[in-house]
Amino acid sequence: MASTPVTAKIETEQPLAIEANGQFIRVIVADSQAIFRAGLRKIFALEDDVRVVGQAETLPQTLTAAKKFTADVLLFEAAIAANPIEAVADLLRQNPALRLVVVTTEPDQDLTLELFRRGVHAIVSREVEPELLVDCLRKVSKGEPWLDGRATQWVLEAYRTQGSRAGAPRPKVQLTPKETLIVSCVTQGMKNKEIALRVGTTEQVVKNYLRKVYDKLGVADRLELALYCLNSRILDNSTIKDIPPKPSPIASEQPQNGNGTATGPTSETI
């Protein structure tokens, strides 16, 4: 059957996968390079338990394919999106049951940690051996995470670092109700824009609140904040009331420093 660029392409094996009632691992391949997609299809065709049910070459096509086709695993090229972290969050929000395997060109510690925090099941190099990739798909299809040696080291180090910080003597931290609500939203994987709508303020104000919370808790980023909350149970006894979005964001609202002055705006993504 001729291969033509379409939003998502149903392979001839898909009916067999459906009739087998879950016997096959159904995979969507999302990659910008046609030769890479073709190579993966040839590799998977040699396996009795893997079927490619769809493919995409752009992020919009990937979102459409994930919505249109019933699949177990999405093999997703990180470079297909300008912001792979947000793309992953959108894909999992659209289809929470879909397991994501992200393909990267070069190992990146920050990207690896953030992608796993967002719910990715595996990250593989573009140079991964075919046998390892198939093993990865099999594990991920069962809901198991898959990490190579370097990624395992990064994740463990992140937990060790956070654990040592959590175990060090700290003054008792008291978060305000709004800070507590924002922290709760962060631990649920919400982006700053979503948090702003939830709280009824602006993204800039959310960033300023997060900077203040980081200073209070002695953490550096969202990942460390989530790990800190997990280790210290900072949200366990907090009562968070629903705060409906306000008709118009209050741009002037700013968290206050200790001297009573407002925290200035910043372009840094927090």
Short mmCIF file of all heavy atoms in Angstrom, two decimals, residues 194-226:
data_model
loop_
_atom_site.label_atom_id
_atom_site.label_comp_id
_atom_site.label_asym_id
_atom_site.label_seq_id
_atom_site.Cartn_x
_atom_site.Cartn_y
_atom_site.Cartn_z
N GLU A 194 -2.65 27.32 33.28
CA GLU A 194 -3.79 26.63 33.90
C GLU A 194 -3.95 27.05 35.35
O GLU A 194 -5.07 27.23 35.84
CB GLU A 194 -3.60 25.12 33.80
CG GLU A 194 -3.57 24.60 32.38
CD GLU A 194 -3.15 23.15 32.28
OE1 GLU A 194 -2.15 22.77 32.92
OE2 GLU A 194 -3.82 22.39 31.58
N ILE A 195 -2.83 27.20 36.05
CA ILE A 195 -2.88 27.62 37.45
C ILE A 195 -3.47 29.03 37.55
O ILE A 195 -4.28 29.32 38.44
CB ILE A 195 -1.48 27.57 38.08
CG1 ILE A 195 -0.95 26.14 38.08
CG2 ILE A 195 -1.51 28.11 39.51
CD1 ILE A 195 0.49 26.02 38.55
N ALA A 196 -3.07 29.91 36.63
CA ALA A 196 -3.58 31.28 36.65
C ALA A 196 -5.10 31.30 36.50
O ALA A 196 -5.80 32.04 37.20
CB ALA A 196 -2.92 32.09 35.53
N LEU A 197 -5.62 30.47 35.58
CA LEU A 197 -7.08 30.39 35.41
C LEU A 197 -7.74 29.81 36.65
O LEU A 197 -8.83 30.23 37.05
CB LEU A 197 -7.40 29.53 34.19
CG LEU A 197 -7.03 30.12 32.82
CD1 LEU A 197 -7.26 29.10 31.72
CD2 LEU A 197 -7.84 31.38 32.55
N ARG A 198 -7.10 28.84 37.26
CA ARG A 198 -7.65 28.18 38.46
C ARG A 198 -7.72 29.15 39.63
O ARG A 198 -8.71 29.20 40.36
CB ARG A 198 -6.75 26.99 38.81
CG ARG A 198 -7.06 26.32 40.14
CD ARG A 198 -8.34 25.49 40.04
NE ARG A 198 -8.49 24.68 41.23
CZ ARG A 198 -8.98 25.12 42.38
NH1 ARG A 198 -9.37 26.38 42.48
NH2 ARG A 198 -9.08 24.31 43.41
N VAL A 199 -6.67 29.95 39.79
CA VAL A 199 -6.60 30.86 40.93
C VAL A 199 -7.32 32.17 40.64
O VAL A 199 -7.81 32.84 41.55
CB VAL A 199 -5.11 31.11 41.30
CG1 VAL A 199 -4.99 32.11 42.43
CG2 VAL A 199 -4.44 29.80 41.68
N GLY A 200 -7.39 32.54 39.37
CA GLY A 200 -8.02 33.80 39.01
C GLY A 200 -7.04 34.95 39.01
O GLY A 200 -7.31 36.01 39.57
N THR A 201 -5.87 34.72 38.40
CA THR A 201 -4.85 35.77 38.36
C THR A 201 -4.12 35.65 37.03
O THR A 201 -4.65 35.10 36.07
CB THR A 201 -3.89 35.64 39.57
OG1 THR A 201 -3.00 36.74 39.57
CG2 THR A 201 -3.14 34.33 39.56
N THR A 202 -2.90 36.15 36.95
CA THR A 202 -2.13 36.11 35.71
C THR A 202 -0.98 35.12 35.83
O THR A 202 -0.57 34.76 36.94
CB THR A 202 -1.56 37.49 35.36
OG1 THR A 202 -0.59 37.85 36.35
CG2 THR A 202 -2.67 38.53 35.32
N GLU A 203 -0.43 34.73 34.67
CA GLU A 203 0.72 33.82 34.67
C GLU A 203 1.91 34.46 35.38
O GLU A 203 2.66 33.78 36.09
CB GLU A 203 1.11 33.45 33.24
CG GLU A 203 0.11 32.55 32.54
CD GLU A 203 0.60 32.14 31.16
OE1 GLU A 203 1.62 31.42 31.08
OE2 GLU A 203 -0.03 32.55 30.16
N GLN A 204 2.10 35.76 35.20
CA GLN A 204 3.23 36.45 35.83
C GLN A 204 3.13 36.39 37.35
O GLN A 204 4.12 36.19 38.05
CB GLN A 204 3.30 37.89 35.36
CG GLN A 204 4.52 38.65 35.88
CD GLN A 204 5.81 38.00 35.43
OE1 GLN A 204 6.07 37.88 34.25
NE2 GLN A 204 6.62 37.57 36.38
N VAL A 205 1.91 36.57 37.86
CA VAL A 205 1.72 36.50 39.31
C VAL A 205 1.99 35.09 39.82
O VAL A 205 2.60 34.90 40.88
CB VAL A 205 0.29 36.95 39.69
CG1 VAL A 205 0.00 36.67 41.15
CG2 VAL A 205 0.12 38.44 39.40
N VAL A 206 1.57 34.08 39.05
CA VAL A 206 1.86 32.70 39.43
C VAL A 206 3.37 32.47 39.51
O VAL A 206 3.88 31.85 40.45
CB VAL A 206 1.21 31.70 38.43
CG1 VAL A 206 1.70 30.28 38.70
CG2 VAL A 206 -0.31 31.76 38.54
N LYS A 207 4.11 32.99 38.52
CA LYS A 207 5.57 32.86 38.54
C LYS A 207 6.16 33.51 39.79
O LYS A 207 7.07 32.96 40.42
CB LYS A 207 6.17 33.50 37.29
CG LYS A 207 5.88 32.75 35.99
CD LYS A 207 6.54 33.46 34.82
CE LYS A 207 6.26 32.75 33.50
NZ LYS A 207 6.92 33.42 32.36
N ASN A 208 5.64 34.68 40.13
CA ASN A 208 6.17 35.38 41.31
C ASN A 208 5.86 34.62 42.59
O ASN A 208 6.69 34.55 43.50
CB ASN A 208 5.58 36.79 41.37
CG ASN A 208 6.08 37.69 40.24
OD1 ASN A 208 7.12 37.42 39.67
ND2 ASN A 208 5.32 38.71 39.92
N TYR A 209 4.66 34.04 42.67
CA TYR A 209 4.31 33.22 43.84
C TYR A 209 5.23 32.00 43.94
O TYR A 209 5.70 31.64 45.02
CB TYR A 209 2.85 32.77 43.76
CG TYR A 209 1.88 33.69 44.47
CD1 TYR A 209 1.07 34.55 43.76
CD2 TYR A 209 1.79 33.70 45.85
CE1 TYR A 209 0.19 35.41 44.39
CE2 TYR A 209 0.91 34.55 46.51
CZ TYR A 209 0.11 35.40 45.77
OH TYR A 209 -0.75 36.24 46.42
N LEU A 210 5.49 31.36 42.78
CA LEU A 210 6.35 30.17 42.80
C LEU A 210 7.76 30.53 43.24
O LEU A 210 8.40 29.79 44.00
CB LEU A 210 6.37 29.53 41.41
CG LEU A 210 5.14 28.70 41.04
CD1 LEU A 210 5.24 28.20 39.61
CD2 LEU A 210 4.98 27.51 42.00
N ARG A 211 8.27 31.68 42.78
CA ARG A 211 9.60 32.11 43.21
C ARG A 211 9.64 32.29 44.73
O ARG A 211 10.61 31.91 45.39
CB ARG A 211 9.98 33.41 42.50
CG ARG A 211 11.41 33.84 42.75
CD ARG A 211 11.71 35.16 42.03
NE ARG A 211 11.54 35.01 40.60
CZ ARG A 211 12.47 34.48 39.81
NH1 ARG A 211 13.59 34.01 40.32
NH2 ARG A 211 12.27 34.40 38.51
N LYS A 212 8.58 32.87 45.28
CA LYS A 212 8.50 33.07 46.73
C LYS A 212 8.45 31.73 47.46
O LYS A 212 9.12 31.53 48.48
CB LYS A 212 7.24 33.90 47.05
CG LYS A 212 7.09 34.26 48.51
CD LYS A 212 8.11 35.27 48.94
CE LYS A 212 7.83 35.76 50.36
NZ LYS A 212 8.86 36.72 50.83
N VAL A 213 7.67 30.78 46.91
CA VAL A 213 7.58 29.45 47.52
C VAL A 213 8.93 28.72 47.46
O VAL A 213 9.35 28.07 48.42
CB VAL A 213 6.48 28.61 46.82
CG1 VAL A 213 6.55 27.15 47.26
CG2 VAL A 213 5.10 29.18 47.14
N TYR A 214 9.62 28.82 46.32
CA TYR A 214 10.94 28.20 46.20
C TYR A 214 11.87 28.72 47.29
O TYR A 214 12.62 27.95 47.91
CB TYR A 214 11.56 28.50 44.83
CG TYR A 214 10.88 27.85 43.64
CD1 TYR A 214 11.21 28.23 42.35
CD2 TYR A 214 9.90 26.87 43.81
CE1 TYR A 214 10.61 27.63 41.24
CE2 TYR A 214 9.29 26.28 42.72
CZ TYR A 214 9.65 26.67 41.44
OH TYR A 214 9.04 26.08 40.35
N ASP A 215 11.85 30.02 47.51
CA ASP A 215 12.71 30.61 48.53
C ASP A 215 12.33 30.10 49.92
O ASP A 215 13.20 29.82 50.75
CB ASP A 215 12.60 32.14 48.50
CG ASP A 215 13.25 32.75 47.25
OD1 ASP A 215 14.06 32.04 46.61
OD2 ASP A 215 12.92 33.89 46.91
N LYS A 216 11.04 29.99 50.18
CA LYS A 216 10.59 29.52 51.49
C LYS A 216 11.01 28.08 51.76
O LYS A 216 11.45 27.74 52.87
CB LYS A 216 9.06 29.62 51.59
CG LYS A 216 8.50 30.99 51.89
CD LYS A 216 7.00 30.90 52.14
CE LYS A 216 6.41 32.23 52.54
NZ LYS A 216 4.97 32.14 52.86
N LEU A 217 10.87 27.23 50.74
CA LEU A 217 11.10 25.80 50.93
C LEU A 217 12.54 25.38 50.62
O LEU A 217 12.93 24.25 50.90
CB LEU A 217 10.14 24.98 50.05
CG LEU A 217 8.64 25.22 50.29
CD1 LEU A 217 7.82 24.31 49.39
CD2 LEU A 217 8.28 24.98 51.75
N GLY A 218 13.31 26.28 50.03
CA GLY A 218 14.68 25.95 49.70
C GLY A 218 14.82 24.98 48.54
O GLY A 218 15.71 24.12 48.53
N VAL A 219 13.93 25.09 47.54
CA VAL A 219 13.99 24.23 46.36
C VAL A 219 14.31 25.09 45.15
O VAL A 219 14.19 26.32 45.20
CB VAL A 219 12.66 23.46 46.15
CG1 VAL A 219 12.36 22.58 47.34
CG2 VAL A 219 11.50 24.42 45.89
N ALA A 220 14.73 24.41 44.06
CA ALA A 220 15.21 25.16 42.91
C ALA A 220 14.23 25.20 41.75
O ALA A 220 14.27 26.11 40.92
CB ALA A 220 16.54 24.58 42.42
N ASP A 221 13.33 24.18 41.64
CA ASP A 221 12.45 24.12 40.49
C ASP A 221 11.21 23.31 40.83
O ASP A 221 11.01 22.88 41.97
CB ASP A 221 13.17 23.52 39.28
CG ASP A 221 13.84 22.18 39.59
OD1 ASP A 221 13.28 21.43 40.44
OD2 ASP A 221 14.89 21.86 39.01
N ARG A 222 10.36 23.09 39.80
CA ARG A 222 9.08 22.41 40.01
C ARG A 222 9.28 20.95 40.42
O ARG A 222 8.51 20.41 41.21
CB ARG A 222 8.23 22.50 38.73
CG ARG A 222 7.91 23.90 38.31
CD ARG A 222 7.31 23.95 36.91
NE ARG A 222 5.88 23.76 36.93
CZ ARG A 222 5.00 24.74 36.89
NH1 ARG A 222 5.41 25.99 36.86
NH2 ARG A 222 3.71 24.48 36.88
N LEU A 223 10.31 20.31 39.85
CA LEU A 223 10.56 18.92 40.19
C LEU A 223 10.93 18.80 41.67
O LEU A 223 10.39 17.96 42.39
CB LEU A 223 11.67 18.34 39.32
CG LEU A 223 12.10 16.91 39.66
CD1 LEU A 223 10.95 15.94 39.44
CD2 LEU A 223 13.31 16.50 38.84
N GLU A 224 11.86 19.65 42.13
CA GLU A 224 12.25 19.59 43.53
C GLU A 224 11.07 19.97 44.44
O GLU A 224 10.94 19.43 45.54
CB GLU A 224 13.43 20.54 43.78
CG GLU A 224 14.74 20.03 43.20
CD GLU A 224 15.93 20.82 43.71
OE1 GLU A 224 15.75 21.62 44.66
OE2 GLU A 224 17.03 20.63 43.17
N LEU A 225 10.22 20.87 43.99
CA LEU A 225 9.04 21.24 44.77
C LEU A 225 8.12 20.04 44.94
O LEU A 225 7.63 19.76 46.05
CB LEU A 225 8.30 22.39 44.08
CG LEU A 225 6.97 22.83 44.73
CD1 LEU A 225 7.21 23.30 46.16
CD2 LEU A 225 6.31 23.91 43.89
N ALA A 226 7.89 19.30 43.84
CA ALA A 226 7.02 18.11 43.92
C ALA A 226 7.63 17.06 44.83
O ALA A 226 6.93 16.44 45.64
CB ALA A 226 6.80 17.55 42.52
#
